[in-house]
């Protein structure tokens, strides 16, 4: 009679689980979750935390700017304030209210040295503008509605806003007896308006000049 063989014993991890006589506790949850899922969850939590910090602190947002108008702008010099500048200043100063996005307004007229004629008016608005495109459209929409003197707005065109970003739009303003060319830029903290009173400039020419004006007058705001 053949002797009865002992059952084969398991080895390795299988042996440890199979041969114990004590009840085996289930694996803890962190041992049962796949590693890829744990890694993905950590990435999601990290991104959410970073976005929350950025939203609270403003991290990653471009620094606020303001507009400072110098005594000289390119080849032109600052002129004594005329009727156009006074009207523009008064219009925007009346809108420096608690509910308005505007916090500061500056206006200046420029012309050729040795003359008294203002050929270029620059209006700078500093504030908090959540929708720069809306600020640009607001200016030309106001003129189109006759709010500023019965102008007809024609040849409206968007142009590249340059390295400072935001929006840039130009148009021709037609009056009963003359015409002007105007460009407006807007970003998160500034709105700039450049008006050429000569009537000789094309929108594309003034758009290029406006980029140069903007580079000269838009500066980083200091606390």
């Amino acid at each position: 009679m053949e002797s009865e063989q002992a059952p084969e014993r398991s080895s390795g991890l299988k042996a440890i689980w199979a041969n114990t006589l004590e009840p085996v506790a289930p694996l803890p949850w962190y041992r049962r979750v796949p590693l890829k899922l744990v890694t993905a969850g950590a990435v999601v939590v990290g991104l959410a935390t970073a976005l929350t910090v950025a939203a609270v602190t403003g991290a990653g947002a471009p620094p606020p700017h303001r507009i400072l108008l110098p005594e000289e702008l390119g080849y032109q010099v600052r002129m004594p304030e005329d009727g156009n500048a006074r009207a523009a200043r008064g219009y925007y100063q009346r809108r420096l209210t608690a509910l308005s996005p505007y916090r500061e307004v500056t206006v200046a007229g420029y012309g050729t040295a040795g003359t008294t004629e203002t050929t270029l008016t620059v209006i700078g608005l500093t504030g908090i503008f959540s929708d720069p495109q809306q600020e640009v459209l607001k200016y030309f929409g106001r003129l189109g509605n006759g709010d500023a003197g019965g102008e007809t707005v024609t040849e409206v065109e968007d142009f590249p806003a340059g390295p400072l970003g935001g929006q840039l739009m130009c148009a021709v303003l037609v009056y009963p007896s003359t015409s002007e060319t105007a460009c407006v830029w807007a970003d998160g903290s500034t709105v700039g308006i450049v008006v050429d009173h000569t009537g000789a400039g094309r929108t594309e020419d003034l758009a290029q000049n406006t980029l140069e004006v903007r580079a000269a007058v838009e500066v980083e705001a200091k606390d």
Side-chain angles (χ1 to χ4, degrees), residues 48-209:
T49 302
L51 290 174
T52 301
V53 171
V56 173
T57 64
H65 288 70
R66 63 191 298 253
I67 297 176
L68 296 177
L69 299 182
E71 290 300 313
E72 296 185 8
L73 195 58
Y75 61 89
Q76 296 187 318
V77 297
R78 190 163 182 162
M79 292 289 173
E81 191 168 77
D82 62 6
N84 288 325
R86 282 192 295 272
R89 184 187 303 279
Y91 177 85
Y92 286 106
Q93 281 184 336
R94 291 192 296 272
R95 283 152 179 78
L96 296 178
T97 64
L99 299 179
S100 166
Y102 310 128
R103 293 295 173 265
E104 183 181 17
V105 58
T106 181
V107 182
Y110 294 88
T112 304
T115 70
T116 59
E117 181 183 4
T118 296
T119 57
L120 196 74
T121 296
V122 182
I123 304 168
L125 303 168
T126 300
I128 301 174
F129 307 109
S130 59
D131 188 347
Q133 184 176 31
Q134 183 61 34
E135 293 301 319
V136 170
L137 294 173
K138 184 190 299 183
Y139 176 77
F140 289 114
R142 176 176 70 86
L143 298 184
N145 290 333
D147 188 21
E151 304 90 341
T152 300
V153 181
T154 65
E155 301 181 39
V156 180
E157 187 174 354
D158 288 310
F159 291 92
L164 291 173
Q167 303 287 327
L168 174 62
M169 181 180 290
C170 301
V172 175
L173 315 178
V174 180
Y175 298 85
S177 59
T178 186
S179 65
E180 298 175 338
T181 309
C183 289
V184 182
W185 83 77
D187 54 37
S189 54
T190 69
V191 174
I193 302 165
V194 179
V195 182
D196 179 358
H197 301 291
T198 66
R202 302 180 303 169
T203 53
E204 52 265 39
D205 294 333
L206 186 59
Q208 182 59 45
N209 291 341

